[in-house]
């Protein structure tokens, strides 16, 4: 099995830094806000830091993105799809000053940080003196994409995603508890919606892709807003 190392290295030079920053700062933001609101669990574990080594998940930050990059270089690839995640920051919501309100703030901190990074990437792209084909500009374009995508994906209203925790914090207590219990099934629901349902529906002759509906359209819309604000063509 031949591996085009030159292509892999070229792709990695564009995508590695944006992915590391996007996923590690997302988690660091959760820990920082929780620390400021009364829960120092993440702080004591050294997770309130910009050092990506403290947040790396061997599977989500290294293995999965590497496999996706490699797959995109193989003959017959339909295009590049890179995704990943960092090691979740532990938060004890009961230690927060106002648990239900502060749960919302802690959960929103991660996607909010990704949106800030996306805006900064758009601004840097607008000010960049380098040609569009340069590695730097391609990296900035990907940083804009991955941060918007992560922000929107994580705000889906399904535990254990950040959006699910926001919903738990907003619902009345009688509804919040049963909704929060979905967390034990959340990962399997996501796998089913993103990977299994499109394949099964495609095999049956029709295409059902919730990822495109729920993530693709909103991601394009937000990127369009940012690039328009920054004057990026």
């Amino acid at each position: 099995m031949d591996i085009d190392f030159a292509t892999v290295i070229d792709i990695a030079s564009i995508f590695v830094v944006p992915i590391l920053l996007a996923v590690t700062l997302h988690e660091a933001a959760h820990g920082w806000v929780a620390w400021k609101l009364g829960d120092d669990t993440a702080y004591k574990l050294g997770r309130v830091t910009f050092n990506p080594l403290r947040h790396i998940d061997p599977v989500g930050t290294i293995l999965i993105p590497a496999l996706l990059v490699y797959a995109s270089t193989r003959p017959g690839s339909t295009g590049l799809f890179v995704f990943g995640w960092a090691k979740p920051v532990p938060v004890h919501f009961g230690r927060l000053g106002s648990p239900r309100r502060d749960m919302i703030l802690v959960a929103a901190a991660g996607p909010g940080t990704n949106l800030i990074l996306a805006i900064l990437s758009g601004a840097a792209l607008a000010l960049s003196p380098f040609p569009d084909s340069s590695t730097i500009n391609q990296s900035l374009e990907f940083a804009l994409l991955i941060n918007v995508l992560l922000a929107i994906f994580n705000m889906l209203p399904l535990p254990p995603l950040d959006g699910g925790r926001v919903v738990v914090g907003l619902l009345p207590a009688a509804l919040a508890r049963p909704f929060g219990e979905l967390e034990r099934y959340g990962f399997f629901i996501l796998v089913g919606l993103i990977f299994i349902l499109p394949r099964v529906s495609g095999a049956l002759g029709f295409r059902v892709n919730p990822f495109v509906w729920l993530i693709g359209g909103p991601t394009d819309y937000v990127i369009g807003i940012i690039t328009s604000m920054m004057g990026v063509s």
Side-chain angles (χ1 to χ4, degrees):
M1 181 171 58
D2 296 329
I3 298 177
D4 188 348
F5 284 106
T7 302
V8 171
I9 291 172
D10 183 55
I11 293 175
S13 67
I14 295 172
F15 302 111
V16 167
V17 172
I19 289 176
L20 280 177
L21 288 176
V23 299
T24 59
L25 294 184
H26 176 107
E27 294 301 332
H30 286 315
W32 186 84
V33 173
W35 176 38
K36 294 301 179 181
L37 293 176
D39 176 27
D40 62 356
T41 304
Y43 177 76
K44 287 183 175 179
L45 292 173
R47 299 294 305 281
V48 183
T49 174
F50 293 150
N51 179 4
L53 296 178
R54 303 292 299 182
H55 304 286
I56 285 177
D57 180 282
V59 175
T61 317
I62 299 176
L63 180 61
I64 296 299
L67 289 174
L68 291 173
V69 167
Y70 170 71
S72 72
T73 69
R74 306 306 299 156
S77 170
T78 57
L80 179 66
F81 175 74
V82 181
F83 199 69
W85 61 88
K87 185 167 53 177
V89 165
V91 177
H92 291 288
F93 294 105
R95 297 181 181 177
L96 300 172
S98 178
R100 288 178 62 80
R101 182 205 65 188
D102 294 347
M103 176 190 300
I104 297 172
L105 298 177
V106 171
T113 296
N114 287 129
L115 282 179
I116 292 172
L117 289 173
I119 293 170
L120 292 176
S121 299
L125 195 58
L127 297 173
S128 173
F130 303 103
D132 292 341
S133 59
S134 68
T135 298
I136 290 177
N137 276 25
Q138 291 184 66
S139 185
L140 288 172
E141 289 176 358
F142 181 71
L144 173 58
L145 169 63
I146 192 65
N147 277 289
V148 173
L149 189 150
L150 283 174
I152 292 174
F153 175 77
N154 277 284
M155 284 306 294
L156 290 178
L158 176 68
L161 297 178
D162 298 323
R165 298 194 187 281
V166 169
V167 172
V168 170
L170 292 173
L171 286 175
L175 297 176
R177 185 179 298 275
F179 183 79
E181 290 177 355
L182 285 175
E183 183 164 343
R184 70 184 71 178
Y185 311 109
F187 175 78
F188 301 103
I189 294 173
L190 287 172
V191 170
L193 290 175
I194 295 174
F195 296 107
I196 298 177
L197 183 57
R199 289 183 176 275
V200 171
S201 63
L204 294 175
F206 57 95
R207 189 70 171 173
V208 177
N209 196 331
F211 186 87
V212 173
W213 304 338
L214 299 174
I215 308 297
T219 296
D220 290 340
Y221 180 74
V222 174
I223 289 176
I225 292 176
I226 294 174
T227 54
S228 177
M229 288 172 50
M230 301 301 170
V232 177
S233 57

